[in-house]
Each structure stands twice: as C-alpha cells, then as structure tokens.
Amino acid sequence: MTDIVFTRGGGWYPGVVREDGELRLTLGAGADANHEPRTFTFPIGEAHLRVIREDLARHLLLWSAVIPLCEAAGTRGDLDEDAAVALLDPILLSAPAEVDALFRAIRWDRNRLVAHGADTVLLERGQVCEAMRTATERSDEKRAQEYQADRRRAERGVVLGPLDAQILRYTGQYLHGATIPRRTPDAVDPALLPRVLAVIAAAERASAGMRIGPDPRRGRRATDKRDWDRMAATVGAAVRRAYPELVDDAVRTVSFLVCSEAADRSRDAPADDDGEAADDHRDVGLSFTDDRGDEKKWSPGGPRTASAEFWEFVADRSAADNEVFTIEDEERGEGIQLHFYADSVARITTVRRGTAGSDPQYRVEYSLVDGIAGYRDLVRAFVRGGCAALDQHGRWIADVDEFERTRRERDTRP
C-alpha cells in the first residue's frame, strides 16, 4: 500500500510516499521506449523528509542531482538506488561548503535550478547553496532555456550586449538560431525598442528594391538561393556599417528576418506569368516534357503565358531524379532542353525534316547557364523568338567534347 506523505507545488517535483511502511522519494524523469516519462523511487529517512519539507533550496538541489541518475537508467534500466541514497546526507544534511564541494564532483541538472530562480552568476562560480537563496517554488522554463542559449553562445565566444539581446528577442531567435524569424516587438525591453527598430529600418533601406524570386527547380515553395545570398550580404554589410558594435548573431538575425520576409512575399504572390505579357503575340503552340515522359501542351490565347505555364510544369515535377525539361515548338521544328543538374542548356533546330522514311537531321548546340535567372532569360527569349532569339544569350557550342571541357573548367573555378 502506498500513501502520499509530502508533495510540493504539483507537477514534476519529487514527492515522498510511504510504501509498506518505508519512506521513499518518488520522481518522474527520463523516458521509456514510447517517450513516456518514467517514475523512479528510492528510500529516504525521517531526517531527510524534514529537510525536504522545510527547505525548498535543498529539495531542489537533491532533485537536480538525482535527475542524471534517472537519465542514466535509460528507457528500461533500473535506477542506481545506492548512488541515489548516497546523495541524501551530503545534500540534505551537510554544511553549505560541503554541498558546494559535492556539486563540483558530480553531474547535476543545472537547468532545473535555473528554472527555479537560482542566481546564475553564483552557479557559474560553484556557489550552489548561495545561488539557491533566490529559489522559487514556481519554475520558469523560459529562463532556463535562455540561460542554456547563452551558454551555447559563450562556448562560441559570443557575449551579447543589451542591444544584441533585444534584437534577438525581437526576431524570436534568442533561444534558437534556426527558428524562422518574426517580428515580436512585445518581447523587447520598451526602453530599447526604438533602437531595435532603427536597426531593422537600416536593413530595410539597404534591401529596398531587391527581391528573392522563386526557384521552380526545387518546387513550388522554393526561392532563389542566389537572390537570398545577395540580399543577406547587402543587408549584413549595411547593418555592420551603421552599427559596428553589434555581434554577428544580431546582424545575422536581422538579415535572416528581412530575407525570410522577402522570400515569403515571393512565395505568396499570385502567379504573375513571370512578367511575360509579351508572350501573348505568339500564335504557335508549345509542348513541355520532363525526363520521366510527362507532357503538357500550351496553346496561344489562353489565360496564362507559355513561360508561366512552363515554370509551373517544372515546379510540379522537378526532383533529384527529374532534372531535364524540354520546350518544343513542333510546328517550327525547334526546341530547348534545360539540364538543371549541370547548369546547362541545349538548343535543338531541325535542319532537315524526315521524308520518305528518312530520319530528320538536327543541329544541337550547348551553352552554360548562370542560375535560375539565366534559365528564365533563356525560356523567355525562346518563347518570344525561337532558337534564333537565343544567339545573344551565352556562347553556343556544337562540339560536345569542347562543351564538356568548357563545363568542367567552369565547375573547377574557385
């Protein structure tokens, strides 16, 4: 039979129960194979119970020291009761100096103490008993998360100034640098909010007129990495010039915020036919195919231009094993084939159509392409003027071996 003898504050606090006449400390910690919390117990004495009842700080210190033993038990192992019992007298009944010495020699959960109000400066000095003078029964998990984030930064040699910290709070990236940034002015110290907004304004001025376009080669929601890198570099340089005191983490989060918002605008904007209103004069249809044999026809007079329809076709089908797309003008006997895996393109022109059972003869020429912007220019030009309109877009090479040498030279350039 188990009777509850003492609990504090609810939640995960270690409690004391009497089980078949024996006092035992019980706590939930670690997880089983199903990621459910495990419960552990070990025996304590009446003297230990009195301290746990009366001294919040000692109760928290014991909790902090036992958690690593629970974690060491893993998903199915038993708690090392001897090790747990060995902690009781030194933590609950010893002088503060002896407790401090013990905590310098064992593993303990620092975050648990920080969440309950421990003085972090004193903790860092190893004065755990003195640090617990500010302990609170209620926990503040965000305080522990911020403390851990600061420790990770310190390991990289980064120390935040007041403005740095508030900028990271504004973007929501104080705890985790991988979090998608957002604008959270309510999280900022009101006294520093005007300075934070001034930094953001400097970033916005630097990026005015810049955009991060879509990159259909990587799907419907993907954006152009080159555009992103260009905007991030521009914003970062401008912010560093205006606020040289900011650490890299703060500058980076401002760039991330501005670029993320620009990318979202690009993703969420309605299809605008890629600015190809001039395609409307085309009176000949086109066919689009991919490397898997899928095909889509485009006919003039429809609601969308050929360029827009083609890039939608690409966005819906492009994948790691599907990186070759073709636009063909069957009536004129010409087309272009885009090789996304090699940043190259081939233009194919019919020299002689097949007649009386003979095979047609084609002229195939190759050119290198500079990113998605280069591909867009080529598609736009082909849609408007066919293969002849591509002469001004790069150097076209008919010899396959010569083109491969040119491509390898480009790929080995620093």
Side-chain angles (χ1 to χ4, degrees), residues 70-109:
C70 298
E71 292 172 345
T75 59
R76 284 184 295 212
D78 295 328
L79 176 70
D80 186 343
E81 284 198 9
D82 291 340
V85 170
L87 294 170
L88 292 171
D89 285 358
I91 294 176
L92 298 178
L93 306 179
S94 298
E98 294 174 0
V99 176
D100 290 349
L102 174 68
F103 272 70
R104 286 194 289 270
I106 64 170
R107 288 182 56 218
W108 49 286
D109 189 333

Side-chain angles (χ1 to χ4, degrees), residues 103-325:
F103 272 70
R104 286 194 289 270
I106 64 170
R107 288 182 56 218
W108 49 286
D109 189 333
R110 188 183 302 262
N111 289 343
R112 181 52 38 214
L113 302 184
V114 174
H116 282 272
D119 185 311
T120 57
V121 174
L122 294 174
L123 281 185
E124 296 291 348
R125 293 176 184 168
Q127 298 172 258
V128 293
C129 287
E130 186 70 19
M132 297 306 291
R133 287 182 179 275
T134 55
T136 59
E137 187 169 292
R138 187 167 183 167
S139 70
D140 181 351
E141 297 302 326
K142 185 176 180 183
R143 183 174 190 260
Q145 292 169 357
E146 292 185 351
Y147 172 73
Q148 192 61 33
D150 287 336
R151 282 175 63 85
R152 289 195 298 268
R153 277 188 280 266
E155 290 171 358
R156 296 187 284 113
V158 176
V159 178
L160 300 180
L163 183 57
D164 299 312
Q166 297 305 316
I167 289 173
L168 288 168
R169 293 186 193 283
Y170 181 84
T171 63
Q173 288 201 299
Y174 192 98
L175 299 182
H176 303 290
T179 303
I180 295 175
R182 59 194 186 281
R183 300 186 185 225
T184 55
D186 291 345
V188 178
D189 180 347
L192 286 175
L193 182 58
R195 293 185 63 195
V196 171
L197 295 179
V199 174
I200 303 300
E204 291 172 333
R205 286 193 298 273
S207 60
M210 301 182 75
R211 68 186 293 268
I212 297 178
D215 189 346
R217 297 174 299 175
R218 291 194 284 270
R220 278 185 172 271
R221 300 287 294 171
T223 50
D224 187 349
K225 184 177 183 299
R226 288 192 181 187
D227 284 352
W228 181 295
D229 291 344
R230 189 178 303 114
M231 183 179 288
T234 299
V235 169
V239 171
R240 284 188 175 91
R241 282 195 304 271
Y243 300 92
E245 73 277 15
L246 293 179
V247 300
D248 286 347
D249 287 31
V251 175
R252 192 179 303 114
T253 196
V254 172
S255 294
F256 195 2
L257 174 69
V258 173
C259 291
S260 294
E261 291 178 342
D264 285 343
R265 288 193 293 272
S266 174
R267 293 188 191 101
D268 296 338
D272 61 357
D273 290 342
D274 196 31
E276 302 299 339
D279 286 359
D280 291 344
H281 75 278
R282 182 176 246 282
D283 56 2
V284 177
L286 298 170
S287 65
F288 312 139
T289 57
D290 65 7
D291 214 19
R292 295 173 177 166
D294 293 330
E295 183 176 14
K296 182 176 184 179
K297 298 285 188 180
W298 175 85
S299 299
R304 302 186 66 202
T305 64
S307 295
E309 292 281 0
F310 172 72
W311 287 118
E312 184 177 84
F313 179 79
V314 170
D316 287 341
R317 293 165 176 80
S318 184
D321 60 348
N322 193 32
E323 296 187 287
V324 178
F325 288 80

